[in-house]
Amino acid sequence: MWIYDKKLQYPVKIKNPNPKLAQVIISQLGGPDGELAASMRYLHQRYAMPHDEIKGILTDVGTEELAHLEMVAAILHQLTRNLSEEQIKNSPFATYFVDHTTGLYPVAGSGLPFDMKYVGVKGDVITDLHEDLAAEQKARTTYDNILRLTDDPDVREPIKFLRQRELVHYQRFGDALRIAQDRMDSKNFYAYNPAFDKASGVFRKPK
Amino acid sequence: MRVINRNTSRENASRAGNCRMLQQRLQAVDFAIVETTLYLDVYPDCKKALEYHKRLLKERKMVAEALHGSCGPTTAWEEQNDGWEWVKGPWPWEPDAN
Protein backbone atom coordinates (compact mmCIF):
# COMPACT_ATOMS: atom_id res chain seq x y z
CA MET A 1 0.00 0.00 0.00
CA TRP A 2 1.04 3.60 -0.23
CA ILE A 3 1.49 6.33 2.37
CA TYR A 4 1.55 9.96 1.31
CA ASP A 5 4.40 12.13 2.52
CA LYS A 6 3.43 15.77 2.22
CA LYS A 7 6.58 17.17 0.66
CA LEU A 8 8.11 17.01 -2.81
CA GLN A 9 11.10 14.71 -3.29
CA TYR A 10 13.03 17.77 -4.54
CA PRO A 11 11.89 21.41 -4.21
CA VAL A 12 10.12 23.28 -7.02
CA LYS A 13 9.92 27.06 -6.70
CA ILE A 14 9.31 28.89 -9.98
CA LYS A 15 9.10 32.68 -10.05
CA ASN A 16 8.08 33.24 -13.67
CA PRO A 17 4.91 31.70 -15.18
CA ASN A 18 5.41 30.43 -18.74
CA PRO A 19 2.48 28.66 -20.41
CA LYS A 20 4.48 28.05 -23.62
CA LEU A 21 7.01 26.02 -21.64
CA ALA A 22 4.22 24.21 -19.77
CA GLN A 23 2.89 23.03 -23.14
CA VAL A 24 6.05 20.95 -23.72
CA ILE A 25 6.81 19.93 -20.13
CA ILE A 26 3.32 18.40 -19.89
CA SER A 27 4.68 15.49 -21.95
CA GLN A 28 6.43 14.28 -18.81
CA LEU A 29 3.00 14.12 -17.16
CA GLY A 30 0.87 12.40 -19.80
CA GLY A 31 3.19 11.61 -22.68
CA PRO A 32 4.56 8.27 -23.93
CA ASP A 33 7.78 8.45 -21.90
CA GLY A 34 6.51 10.44 -18.93
CA GLU A 35 6.26 9.72 -15.24
CA LEU A 36 2.68 8.39 -15.34
CA ALA A 37 3.66 5.84 -17.99
CA ALA A 38 6.75 4.91 -15.99
CA SER A 39 4.93 4.37 -12.69
CA MET A 40 2.13 2.35 -14.33
CA ARG A 41 4.68 0.25 -16.22
CA TYR A 42 6.83 -0.73 -13.23
CA LEU A 43 4.02 -1.10 -10.69
CA HIS A 44 2.11 -3.44 -13.03
CA GLN A 45 5.10 -5.48 -14.23
CA ARG A 46 6.07 -6.41 -10.68
CA TYR A 47 3.17 -8.86 -10.16
CA ALA A 48 4.43 -11.53 -12.56
CA MET A 49 8.09 -11.33 -11.55
CA PRO A 50 9.54 -14.45 -9.89
CA HIS A 51 12.48 -12.90 -7.96
CA ASP A 52 12.31 -10.81 -4.75
CA GLU A 53 15.00 -8.40 -5.93
CA ILE A 54 13.02 -7.63 -9.09
CA LYS A 55 9.69 -7.29 -7.27
CA GLY A 56 11.51 -4.91 -4.92
CA ILE A 57 13.15 -2.73 -7.53
CA LEU A 58 9.98 -2.45 -9.65
CA THR A 59 7.94 -1.52 -6.56
CA ASP A 60 10.44 1.07 -5.33
CA VAL A 61 11.22 2.66 -8.69
CA GLY A 62 7.49 2.66 -9.53
CA THR A 63 6.79 4.46 -6.27
CA GLU A 64 9.55 6.98 -6.92
CA GLU A 65 8.03 7.69 -10.34
CA LEU A 66 4.77 8.67 -8.62
CA ALA A 67 6.82 11.20 -6.61
CA HIS A 68 8.28 12.44 -9.89
CA LEU A 69 4.79 12.71 -11.39
CA GLU A 70 4.00 15.01 -8.48
CA MET A 71 7.13 17.12 -9.15
CA VAL A 72 6.21 17.52 -12.83
CA ALA A 73 2.70 18.53 -11.74
CA ALA A 74 4.20 21.09 -9.36
CA ILE A 75 6.31 22.54 -12.20
CA LEU A 76 3.25 22.77 -14.46
CA HIS A 77 1.09 24.26 -11.69
CA GLN A 78 3.67 26.98 -11.02
CA LEU A 79 4.24 27.70 -14.74
CA THR A 80 0.50 28.32 -15.25
CA ARG A 81 -0.29 30.49 -12.22
CA ASN A 82 -1.62 34.05 -12.39
CA LEU A 83 -1.89 34.09 -16.16
CA SER A 84 -3.43 37.03 -18.00
CA GLU A 85 -5.76 36.38 -20.94
CA GLU A 86 -3.07 37.87 -23.20
CA GLN A 87 -0.51 35.30 -22.07
CA ILE A 88 -2.91 32.46 -22.79
CA LYS A 89 -4.35 33.82 -26.09
CA ASN A 90 -1.01 34.08 -27.83
CA SER A 91 0.48 30.75 -26.84
CA PRO A 92 0.01 27.12 -27.89
CA PHE A 93 -1.36 26.66 -24.37
CA ALA A 94 -4.69 28.17 -25.52
CA THR A 95 -5.93 24.87 -27.00
CA TYR A 96 -5.24 23.08 -23.69
CA PHE A 97 -6.77 25.94 -21.67
CA VAL A 98 -10.11 25.85 -23.49
CA ASP A 99 -10.76 22.26 -22.31
CA HIS A 100 -8.91 22.18 -18.98
CA THR A 101 -8.38 25.79 -17.81
CA THR A 102 -5.30 25.45 -15.58
CA GLY A 103 -6.28 22.06 -14.23
CA LEU A 104 -3.71 19.33 -14.76
CA TYR A 105 -4.89 16.69 -17.24
CA PRO A 106 -2.30 14.16 -18.39
CA VAL A 107 -1.67 14.71 -22.07
CA ALA A 108 1.41 14.66 -24.29
CA GLY A 109 2.89 17.89 -25.64
CA SER A 110 0.90 17.18 -28.80
CA GLY A 111 -2.35 17.21 -26.81
CA LEU A 112 -2.93 13.44 -27.08
CA PRO A 113 -4.36 12.16 -23.79
CA PHE A 114 -2.42 9.61 -21.77
CA ASP A 115 -2.76 6.12 -23.21
CA MET A 116 -1.99 2.77 -21.58
CA LYS A 117 -0.70 1.71 -25.00
CA TYR A 118 2.49 3.59 -24.01
CA VAL A 119 3.04 0.90 -21.38
CA GLY A 120 4.34 -2.61 -22.00
CA VAL A 121 3.63 -5.42 -19.56
CA LYS A 122 4.55 -8.62 -21.40
CA GLY A 123 4.80 -10.97 -18.40
CA ASP A 124 8.22 -12.21 -19.49
CA VAL A 125 11.22 -11.45 -17.28
CA ILE A 126 13.72 -10.64 -20.05
CA THR A 127 11.20 -8.73 -22.17
CA ASP A 128 9.84 -6.54 -19.37
CA LEU A 129 13.30 -5.58 -18.09
CA HIS A 130 14.38 -4.58 -21.61
CA GLU A 131 11.24 -2.45 -21.87
CA ASP A 132 12.26 -0.79 -18.61
CA LEU A 133 15.84 -0.07 -19.74
CA ALA A 134 14.48 1.53 -22.92
CA ALA A 135 11.84 3.47 -20.99
CA GLU A 136 14.46 5.11 -18.75
CA GLN A 137 16.51 6.19 -21.77
CA LYS A 138 13.43 7.59 -23.49
CA ALA A 139 12.58 9.57 -20.37
CA ARG A 140 16.16 10.82 -20.16
CA THR A 141 16.02 11.94 -23.80
CA THR A 142 12.75 13.79 -23.17
CA TYR A 143 14.34 15.64 -20.23
CA ASP A 144 17.35 16.45 -22.44
CA ASN A 145 14.93 18.00 -24.93
CA ILE A 146 13.20 20.02 -22.22
CA LEU A 147 16.59 21.36 -21.07
CA ARG A 148 17.25 22.47 -24.68
CA LEU A 149 14.06 24.53 -24.56
CA THR A 150 14.54 26.67 -21.43
CA ASP A 151 17.16 28.81 -19.69
CA ASP A 152 15.07 29.45 -16.56
CA PRO A 153 17.20 28.17 -13.62
CA ASP A 154 14.08 27.64 -11.46
CA VAL A 155 12.84 25.13 -14.05
CA ARG A 156 16.23 23.66 -14.97
CA GLU A 157 17.12 22.61 -11.41
CA PRO A 158 14.23 20.18 -10.77
CA ILE A 159 14.38 18.96 -14.41
CA LYS A 160 18.09 18.15 -14.05
CA PHE A 161 17.30 16.22 -10.86
CA LEU A 162 14.58 14.22 -12.62
CA ARG A 163 16.90 13.51 -15.55
CA GLN A 164 19.61 12.26 -13.22
CA ARG A 165 17.17 9.87 -11.54
CA GLU A 166 16.37 8.24 -14.90
CA LEU A 167 20.05 7.38 -15.33
CA VAL A 168 20.17 5.74 -11.89
CA HIS A 169 16.99 3.75 -12.59
CA TYR A 170 18.59 2.56 -15.84
CA GLN A 171 21.56 1.21 -13.83
CA ARG A 172 19.30 -0.59 -11.34
CA PHE A 173 17.24 -2.24 -14.10
CA GLY A 174 20.52 -3.39 -15.63
CA ASP A 175 21.39 -4.98 -12.28
CA ALA A 176 17.95 -6.63 -12.19
CA LEU A 177 18.47 -8.09 -15.68
CA ARG A 178 21.83 -9.51 -14.62
CA ILE A 179 20.21 -11.11 -11.55
CA ALA A 180 17.51 -12.67 -13.74
CA GLN A 181 20.06 -14.00 -16.22
CA ASP A 182 22.30 -15.41 -13.45
CA ARG A 183 19.34 -17.58 -12.46
CA MET A 184 18.66 -18.84 -15.97
CA ASP A 185 20.22 -21.63 -18.00
CA SER A 186 23.42 -19.95 -19.21
CA LYS A 187 23.30 -22.10 -22.34
CA ASN A 188 19.84 -20.79 -23.22
CA PHE A 189 18.22 -17.80 -21.53
CA TYR A 190 15.03 -18.51 -23.47
CA ALA A 191 14.64 -22.11 -22.27
CA TYR A 192 11.61 -20.99 -20.31
CA ASN A 193 10.02 -17.87 -18.84
CA PRO A 194 10.45 -17.93 -15.06
CA ALA A 195 7.49 -15.54 -14.77
CA PHE A 196 5.17 -18.23 -16.10
CA ASP A 197 6.62 -21.63 -16.91
CA LYS A 198 7.60 -24.16 -14.33
CA ALA A 199 10.96 -25.69 -15.19
CA SER A 200 9.33 -28.59 -16.93
CA GLY A 201 6.45 -26.49 -18.29
CA VAL A 202 5.89 -25.43 -21.87
CA PHE A 203 9.09 -26.99 -23.14
CA ARG A 204 8.50 -30.53 -21.92
CA LYS A 205 11.41 -32.88 -21.66
CA PRO A 206 11.03 -35.92 -23.93
CA LYS A 207 9.89 -39.02 -22.01
CA MET B 1 3.79 21.36 7.04
CA ARG B 2 2.48 24.76 7.95
CA VAL B 3 3.65 27.85 9.78
CA ILE B 4 1.62 28.48 12.94
CA ASN B 5 0.50 32.12 12.77
CA ARG B 6 0.41 33.36 16.33
CA ASN B 7 3.42 35.69 16.32
CA THR B 8 4.67 38.92 14.78
CA SER B 9 5.31 38.93 11.07
CA ARG B 10 9.10 38.96 11.71
CA GLU B 11 8.78 35.90 13.93
CA ASN B 12 6.64 34.26 11.26
CA ALA B 13 9.19 34.97 8.54
CA SER B 14 12.00 33.59 10.67
CA ARG B 15 9.96 30.50 11.53
CA ALA B 16 9.07 29.98 7.86
CA GLY B 17 12.77 30.16 6.98
CA ASN B 18 13.59 27.66 9.71
CA CYS B 19 10.83 25.31 8.52
CA ARG B 20 12.07 25.54 4.94
CA MET B 21 15.60 24.65 6.09
CA LEU B 22 14.38 21.69 8.18
CA GLN B 23 12.22 20.44 5.31
CA GLN B 24 15.19 20.62 2.94
CA ARG B 25 17.29 18.63 5.41
CA LEU B 26 14.55 15.98 5.56
CA GLN B 27 14.25 15.96 1.74
CA ALA B 28 18.01 15.38 1.56
CA VAL B 29 18.10 12.47 4.03
CA ASP B 30 14.93 10.92 2.56
CA PHE B 31 16.50 11.09 -0.88
CA ALA B 32 19.59 9.28 0.42
CA ILE B 33 17.29 6.62 1.90
CA VAL B 34 15.48 6.14 -1.45
CA GLU B 35 18.80 5.87 -3.29
CA THR B 36 20.11 3.31 -0.76
CA THR B 37 16.82 1.39 -0.99
CA LEU B 38 17.09 1.03 -4.77
CA TYR B 39 20.69 -0.17 -4.41
CA LEU B 40 19.82 -2.70 -1.68
CA ASP B 41 16.89 -4.02 -3.74
CA VAL B 42 19.43 -5.41 -6.22
CA TYR B 43 22.37 -5.89 -3.80
CA PRO B 44 20.53 -7.07 -0.67
CA ASP B 45 23.63 -8.61 0.91
CA CYS B 46 25.83 -5.52 0.71
CA LYS B 47 26.90 -4.97 4.33
CA LYS B 48 28.17 -1.44 3.74
CA ALA B 49 24.86 -0.39 2.22
CA LEU B 50 22.92 -1.98 5.06
CA GLU B 51 25.00 -0.08 7.64
CA TYR B 52 24.57 3.14 5.69
CA HIS B 53 20.81 2.58 5.63
CA LYS B 54 20.84 2.11 9.43
CA ARG B 55 22.78 5.37 9.94
CA LEU B 56 20.44 7.25 7.62
CA LEU B 57 17.40 6.07 9.57
CA LYS B 58 18.96 7.40 12.77
CA GLU B 59 19.58 10.77 11.16
CA ARG B 60 16.10 10.80 9.67
CA LYS B 61 14.54 10.28 13.10
CA MET B 62 16.35 13.38 14.45
CA VAL B 63 15.52 15.61 11.51
CA ALA B 64 11.88 14.43 11.30
CA GLU B 65 11.37 15.06 15.03
CA ALA B 66 12.80 18.58 14.73
CA LEU B 67 10.63 19.32 11.70
CA HIS B 68 7.52 17.87 13.31
CA GLY B 69 8.13 19.79 16.55
CA SER B 70 8.65 23.19 14.93
CA CYS B 71 6.52 22.95 11.83
CA GLY B 72 3.93 20.22 12.21
CA PRO B 73 3.34 16.78 10.66
CA THR B 74 4.00 15.85 7.02
CA THR B 75 1.82 12.74 7.12
CA ALA B 76 -1.56 11.79 8.55
CA TRP B 77 0.30 8.99 10.40
CA GLU B 78 1.99 11.35 12.89
CA GLU B 79 0.65 13.12 15.95
CA GLN B 80 -1.39 16.21 15.09
CA ASN B 81 -0.85 18.96 17.66
CA ASP B 82 -3.03 21.82 16.47
CA GLY B 83 -6.28 20.46 15.10
CA TRP B 84 -6.13 18.43 11.88
CA GLU B 85 -2.79 20.02 11.06
CA TRP B 86 -1.49 18.02 8.19
CA VAL B 87 -4.02 19.28 5.63
CA LYS B 88 -3.39 22.92 6.46
CA GLY B 89 -1.02 25.39 4.97
CA PRO B 90 0.67 25.23 1.61
CA TRP B 91 0.56 21.92 -0.27
CA PRO B 92 3.75 20.57 -1.83
CA TRP B 93 3.06 21.78 -5.40
CA GLU B 94 2.62 25.39 -4.25
CA PRO B 95 5.63 27.74 -4.26
CA ASP B 96 5.19 28.63 -0.57
CA ALA B 97 5.80 25.00 0.40
CA ASN B 98 9.26 24.99 -1.26
Side-chain angles (χ1 to χ4, degrees), chain A residues 33-171:
Chain A
D33 308 314
E35 306 291 355
L36 183 55
S39 53
M40 291 301 100
R41 179 183 298 109
Y42 308 142
L43 292 174
H44 286 90
Q45 279 182 3
R46 63 192 181 127
Y47 299 109
M49 287 293 173
H51 306 305
D52 282 343
E53 296 90 338
I54 307 186
K55 294 177 216 187
I57 196 68
L58 286 171
T59 299
D60 292 331
V61 175
T63 301
E64 191 182 353
E65 302 294 15
L66 290 173
H68 294 171
L69 184 68
E70 189 184 36
M71 275 180 64
V72 173
I75 293 172
L76 293 169
H77 171 77
Q78 294 183 23
L79 285 174
T80 54
R81 279 181 319 133
N82 303 326
L83 296 176
S84 69
E85 278 172 21
E86 276 314 300
Q87 281 177 294
I88 299 169
K89 249 192 253 185
N90 301 320
S91 90
F93 183 68
T95 48
Y96 175 91
F97 176 83
V98 71
D99 287 327
H100 307 294
T101 328
T102 52
L104 290 181
Y105 183 74
V107 295
S110 62
L112 229 54
F114 178 74
D115 193 330
M116 273 310 281
K117 290 198 267 293
Y118 300 151
V119 170
V121 180
K122 201 76 174 175
D124 177 286
V125 180
I126 295 179
T127 309
D128 282 346
L129 288 171
H130 279 85
E131 156 102 2
D132 302 342
L133 291 165
E136 292 297 345
Q137 289 294 342
K138 288 190 277 188
R140 187 268 308 167
T141 304
T142 315
Y143 282 125
D144 278 346
N145 289 338
I146 291 171
L147 289 171
R148 291 182 171 106
L149 297 175
T150 178
D151 295 322
D152 183 347
D154 294 344
V155 176
R156 291 180 66 85
E157 284 314 295
I159 294 289
K160 285 193 291 191
F161 171 83
L162 292 169
R163 178 189 172 279
Q164 195 67 22
R165 296 309 296 153
E166 311 301 8
L167 296 177
V168 173
H169 294 167
Y170 177 75
Q171 292 299 315

Side-chain angles (χ1 to χ4, degrees), chain B residues 3-20:
Chain B
V3 175
I4 302 167
N5 282 313
R6 281 196 288 269
N7 307 310
T8 66
S9 65
R10 173 179 291 169
E11 283 166 325
N12 280 336
S14 140
R15 185 186 228 109
N18 186 53
C19 286
R20 180 169 295 119

Side-chain angles (χ1 to χ4, degrees), chain A residues 6-8 13 60 165 175, chain B residues 27 30 41 74 86 95:
Chain A
K6 196 182 167 205
K7 66 185 198 303
L8 295 184
K13 200 178 181 75
D60 292 331
R165 296 309 296 153
D175 294 326
Chain B
Q27 280 168 321
D30 277 350
D41 281 346
T74 54
W86 96 285

Side-chain angles (χ1 to χ4, degrees), chain A residues 16-34:
Chain A
N16 302 318
N18 184 343
K20 234 173 118 187
L21 187 55
Q23 183 64 27
V24 294
I25 292 181
I26 203 163
S27 249
Q28 284 304 85
L29 198 76
D33 308 314

Side-chain angles (χ1 to χ4, degrees), chain B residues 48-90:
Chain B
K48 264 190 167 174
L50 284 166
E51 279 164 23
Y52 184 53
H53 183 259
K54 220 178 189 165
R55 281 203 319 270
L56 286 172
L57 289 183
K58 257 205 198 115
E59 191 189 334
R60 180 188 208 275
K61 195 158 187 281
M62 267 179 7
V63 178
E65 273 167 21
L67 179 64
H68 185 216
S70 301
C71 316
T74 54
T75 72
W77 300 67
E78 297 158 86
E79 235 181 83
Q80 313 279 317
N81 300 313
D82 191 22
W84 191 230
E85 261 190 290
W86 96 285
V87 297
K88 296 180 190 159

